[in-house]
Amino acid sequence: MTDRFSGQTVLVTGGAQGLGRAMVSRFAAEGASVHVADRNAVALAAMSAELCTELPGKIVPKVLDVSDSDQVTDWIDQSVATEGKIDVLINNAGIIRDNRVEKISDDDWDAVIAVNLNAAFYGVRAALPHMREMGYGRILSFSSMSWRGNFGQANYVAAKAGIVGLTRTVALEGAKFGITANAIAPGLIETPMLASMNGSARDKLVKKVPLAHTGAPEDIAAAAAFLASPEARYITGVVLDVDGGLGIGSSIR
Ligand code: NAI
């Protein structure tokens, strides 16, 4: 591992498990002070206890609900007060509540939009003034390969497509301040979210992946670390598919 993020402050939402945890591990391995927000207090404490003993960076956990605007703003302001700055914001927390459109309740619509989309907006809005002041920032938000449309996921797809629009707009507004904004659209990655999917539906999908296997959380963490690094300075407003080629669509041969 390099020390690319030594001296940097990286904020990750939903970092207690899954992709978030892999990113916390990667950034801390590369020397960052990683502030991690998650609503799952038990998983958050376990993650931070396990990772902080073995990695050179620092991990600062905070229990909060990212769908609450005030909690997100306070977390970002407090992290900046502690570290003096924020270099990287990763809007990763997400949930699914799948159903066909006519069966999606108001609650299931609102909850999915709140965690997957509203939370990213709250984070970006709170982080931007601090990043602008420094003349530097990297914002990464989690979309999904399904942002293009997916059966049974209207709420999730609407949120993940919203992430693309938010990212492209923040890329424009942040550009002259040295701030880049990009999105990652993962495919089938081995996390608790994927494990919650029905087994046969999952197997059918894996067969469609050109690289013929699911991804590991570390594959996402590697892409995130690159996009969040100073080296990625000329990349902004993109949606990076990390999906083994699944997003290409079906081949006629
Ligand atoms: P996960 O379910 O394994 O982990 C999500 C984390 O977010 C958990 O630690 C959870 O406690 C936290 N969280 C959920 N709601 C929260 C809230 N209101 N406040 C604070 N924390 C909250 O999910 P996974 O698989 O790691 O996904 C991470 C991101 O990647 C999500 O945005 C997801 O939509 C996206 N994604 C994942 C894919 C996959 O195959 N795993 C595929 C495409 C996108």
Side-chain angles (χ1 to χ4, degrees):
M1 281 293 154
T2 68
D3 59 356
R4 268 192 297 190
F5 294 98
S6 170
Q8 289 207 10
T9 309
V10 177
L11 270 63
V12 181
T13 69
Q17 65 175 40
L19 306 186
R21 179 185 163 123
M23 289 187 283
V24 173
S25 174
R26 176 79 190 221
F27 284 104
E30 294 202 44
S33 283
V34 192
H35 289 240
V36 192
D38 204 290
R39 70 174 171 192
N40 184 337
V42 175
L44 187 63
M47 177 281 297
S48 126
E50 280 163 37
L51 295 185
C52 68
T53 51
E54 56 195 47
L55 297 170
K58 183 172 84 176
I59 296 173
V60 184
K62 174 82 183 170
V63 179
L64 62 85
D65 180 349
V66 293
S67 64
D68 182 312
S69 163
D70 289 343
Q71 290 186 39
V72 174
T73 305
D74 287 351
W75 171 58
I76 290 181
D77 290 347
Q78 277 166 24
S79 303
V80 172
T82 309
E83 304 289 346
K85 62 182 179 132
I86 168 175
D87 300 278
V88 179
L89 170 68
I90 304 193
N91 295 306
N92 161 77
I95 57 167
I96 46 173
R97 292 200 187 165
D98 296 352
N99 226 326
R100 295 210 327 248
V101 173
E102 69 270 28
K103 293 194 169 163
I104 295 178
S105 66
D106 289 356
D107 272 359
D108 286 351
W109 178 269
D110 291 344
V112 169
I113 300 290
V115 178
N116 292 281
L117 180 58
N118 294 355
F121 162 65
Y122 302 145
V124 168
R125 186 178 57 184
L128 275 175
H130 300 297
M131 290 178 167
R132 241 188 0 238
E133 206 178 311
M134 277 207 313
Y136 182 86
R138 297 277 181 268
I139 296 171
L140 275 188
S141 300
F142 272 73
S143 183
S144 161
M145 64 158 295
S146 66
W147 76 269
R148 303 163 176 96
N150 202 25
F151 191 95
Q153 288 199 308
N155 46 2
Y156 186 71
V157 168
K160 295 306 192 185
I163 287 290
V164 174
L166 175 68
T167 296
R168 290 167 61 95
T169 302
V170 173
L172 291 174
E173 294 186 8
K176 69 174 173 202
F177 303 105
I179 299 165
T180 66
N182 294 293
I184 291 184
L188 299 173
I189 314 294
E190 293 292 347
T191 66
M193 186 183 271
L194 186 66
S196 71
M197 211 171 151
N198 166 296
S200 66
R202 193 180 153 202
D203 292 347
K204 254 199 243 168
L205 267 176
V206 175
K207 285 199 182 114
K208 292 186 185 168
V209 179
L211 288 177
H213 59 85
T214 53
E218 291 71 24
D219 296 325
I220 300 295
F226 168 64
L227 285 176
S229 72
E231 285 171 295
R233 65 188 179 187
Y234 205 55
I235 302 173
T236 195
V238 308
V239 182
L240 180 65
D241 292 327
V242 186
D243 65 355
L246 187 55
I248 296 168
S250 48
S251 165
I252 55 168
R253 282 177 179 254

